[in-house]
C-alpha cells in the first residue's frame, strides 16, 4: 500500500478545523439559515462580532481545500470508487437519527430518510462530491488533452460562470459547480505548477494568506450590519467568495503541497477521520449541538467568547475524532472476523 503524503493529510486536518470554525460562526452565532438571521450577532459586543466574522471564511476555505485535494489526486485516474464514502455516510446518517430519537428531537420518518442521505441531500457536500467523483473520469479525459493556456482559460471561465455568477444569483446547482471549479484548480496545481519553485515564496504566501483572511473583517462587518444591495453583492459575491476564499484556499494548498513529502502516522490517522468529523458535527440536528449542547448564543455575550469559541472548535474536532476512530476500529475488527470465518 502506498504511504500517504502527510503534508497533504495535514491540509485535511486544517481544512476540517476551518470548517468547524465557519460553522460555529455561521450556524452558532449568525444563524445564516434561520428565519431571523443575525439577531444574536447584532446583540453582541463589537470585538465579539469582529471575531465571529474572522471565523466565517473557514467554512468555505475548508470546503475548497477538500475539493482541491480531490482534483490533485484524482486527475490522472480513469476509474473512481465512492463506495467507502457512501457506506460511511449511511452509517452515520442512521446512527444520528437513532440518537436523535433517543434525545426526542428526531422522528421515525427521519430514520427512514437516514438510509438515503445522498439522494435526500442530508449533507450537500457529500451529494456534490459523489456526483463530481462519478463525473471525474470524463472531466480528466478532457482536461488532460488541453494545453497550459487552455487550462487557465477553462479555470477562469469556470470561476466566472460556474462559481461567481451562480453564487451571486443563488442558482440551483452552485454546490456542485463550486466543487468542479476547485477540482480543476487542484488538478492544475498537480499538472502545471512547479511545486519545488513554490518553496522560494513561502514567506510571501503566508503573509498574503493572513492579509486576505483578515481583510474580510471590516468588509464582513459592513456587510452584516447592512449595506445597499449592489455593494452587498460586490462585497459578498465577488470580493469575499470570489477573491478572498479562492485566494486563501489556493495559497494554503500550495504552501503545504510544497513541503517535502513525508509520512507521519499520527497526522495520517487523524486526517483519515476528517470526513467522519464533518458528518458528525454538521447535520440536520446542528442547531441542537450549537444551541443546546454548546450554548453558543449565551457564550457570545461573554467577554471570553474568542477563547471559548476556539476551545469549542477544538472540543468538537477532538470528540468527533474519537467517535470516528472507535468506528474505524470496530469496522476493522469486523473485517478481521469476517476474514477469519471466510
Amino acid at each position: 500500500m502506498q504511504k500517504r503524503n502527510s503534508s497533504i493529510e495535514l491540509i485535511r486536518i486544517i481544512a476540517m478545523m476551518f470548517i468547524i470554525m465557519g460553522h460555529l460562526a455561521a450556524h452558532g452565532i449568525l444563524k445564516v439559515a434561520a428565519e431571523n438571521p443575525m439577531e444574536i450577532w447584532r446583540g453582541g459586543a463589537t470585538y465579539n462580532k469582529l471575531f465571529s466574522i474572522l471565523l466565517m471564511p473557514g467554512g468555505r476555505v475548508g470546503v475548497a481545500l477538500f475539493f482541491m485535494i480531490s482534483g490533485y489526486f484524482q486527475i490522472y485516474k480513469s476509474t473512481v470508487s465512492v463506495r467507502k464514502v457512501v457506506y460511511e455516510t449511511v452509517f452515520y446518517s442512521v446512527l444520528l437519527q437513532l440518537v436523535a430519537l433517543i434525545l426526542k428531537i428526531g422522528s421515525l420518518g427521519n430514520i427512514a430518510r437516514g438510509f438515503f442521505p445522498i439522494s435526500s441531500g442530508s449533507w450537500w457536500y457529500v451529494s456534490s462530491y459523489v456526483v463530481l467523483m462519478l463525473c471525474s473520469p470524463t472531466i480528466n479525459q478532457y482536461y488532460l488533452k488541453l494545453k497550459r493556456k487552455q487550462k487557465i482559460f477553462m479555470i477562469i471561465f469556470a470561476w466566472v460562470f460556474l462559481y461567481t455568477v451562480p453564487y451571486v444569483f443563488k442558482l440551483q446547482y452552485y454546490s456542485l459547480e463550486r466543487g468542479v471549479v476547485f477540482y480543476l484548480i487542484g488538478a492544475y496545481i498537480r499538472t502545471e505548477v512547479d511545486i519545488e519553485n513554490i518553496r522560494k515564496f513561502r514567506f510571501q504566501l503566508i503573509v498574503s494568506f493572513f492579509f486576505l483572511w483578515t481583510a474580510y473583517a471590516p468588509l464582513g462587518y459592513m456587510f452584516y450590519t447592512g449595506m445597499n444591495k449592489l455593494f452587498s453583492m460586490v462585497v459578498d459575491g465577488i470580493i469575499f467568495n470570489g477573491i478572498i476564499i479562492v485566494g486563501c484556499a489556493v495559497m494554503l494548498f500550495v504552501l503545504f503541497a510544497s513541503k517535502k513529502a513525508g509520512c507521519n502516522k499520527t497526522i495520517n490517522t487523524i486526517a483519515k477521520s476528517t470526513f467522519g468529523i464533518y458528518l458528525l458535527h454538521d447535520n440536520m440536528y446542528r442547531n441542537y449541538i450549537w444551541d443546546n449542547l454548546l450554548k453558543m448564543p449565551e457564550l457570545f455575550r461573554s467577554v471570553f467568547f474568542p477563547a471559548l469559541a476556539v476551545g469549542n472548535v477544538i472540543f468538537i474536532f477532538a470528540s468527533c475524532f474519537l467517535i470516528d476512530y472507535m468506528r474505524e476500529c470496530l469496522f476493522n475488527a469486523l473485517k478481521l472476523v469476517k476474514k477469519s470465518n471466510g
Side-chain angles (χ1 to χ4, degrees), residues 89-222:
T89 304
V90 172
F91 171 81
Y92 276 123
S93 181
V94 175
L95 177 64
L96 287 167
Q97 299 300 346
L98 291 173
V99 172
L101 198 62
I102 294 170
L103 295 174
K104 298 181 180 179
I105 58 173
S107 66
L108 290 174
N110 282 339
I111 291 181
R113 179 187 174 189
F115 285 96
F116 306 97
I118 310 296
S119 57
S120 65
S122 297
W123 287 277
W124 72 264
Y125 171 81
V126 181
S127 300
S128 298
Y129 174 83
V130 168
V131 173
L132 177 58
M133 286 300 99
L134 292 176
C135 296
S136 64
T138 302
I139 295 173
N140 297 349
Q141 189 176 21
Y142 175 77
Y143 174 86
L144 291 172
K145 292 178 181 178
L146 301 178
K147 296 179 181 179
R148 184 187 180 97
K149 289 184 179 180
Q150 292 173 318
K151 291 175 182 176
I152 294 173
F153 177 80
M154 183 182 186
I155 291 172
I156 294 173
F157 181 89
W159 177 80
V160 174
F161 295 104
L162 295 183
Y163 183 71
T164 304
V165 171
Y167 177 80
V168 169
F169 295 101
K170 312 300 179 188
L171 300 184
Q172 185 175 4
Y173 299 107
Y174 168 71
S175 297
L176 175 59
E177 292 166 337
R178 166 169 53 168
V180 172
V181 172
F182 286 109
Y183 180 94
L184 292 174
I185 293 174
Y188 183 84
I189 293 171
R190 178 73 182 274
T191 58
E192 301 295 335
V193 174
D194 183 0
I195 290 296
E196 297 289 330
N197 195 44
I198 293 294
R199 292 175 187 157
K200 301 175 185 177
F201 305 98
R202 295 191 67 185
F203 177 75
Q204 292 90 329
L205 284 171
I206 293 171
V207 172
S208 300
F209 171 82
F210 281 105
F211 173 79
L212 261 188
W213 190 297
T214 55
Y216 180 64
L219 293 171
Y221 190 85
M222 289 188 291

Side-chain angles (χ1 to χ4, degrees), residues 225-242:
T225 50
M227 57 176 63
N228 69 67
K229 192 172 182 180
L230 179 60
F231 190 49
S232 174
M233 185 183 298
V234 171
V235 169
D236 186 46
I238 300 176
I239 298 177
F240 176 49
N241 198 61

Side-chain angles (χ1 to χ4, degrees), residues 52-68:
S52 63
I53 289 173
L54 277 175
L55 300 179
M56 281 296 285
R60 299 186 201 183
V61 171
V63 167
L65 288 169
F66 275 111
F67 278 126
M68 287 170 68

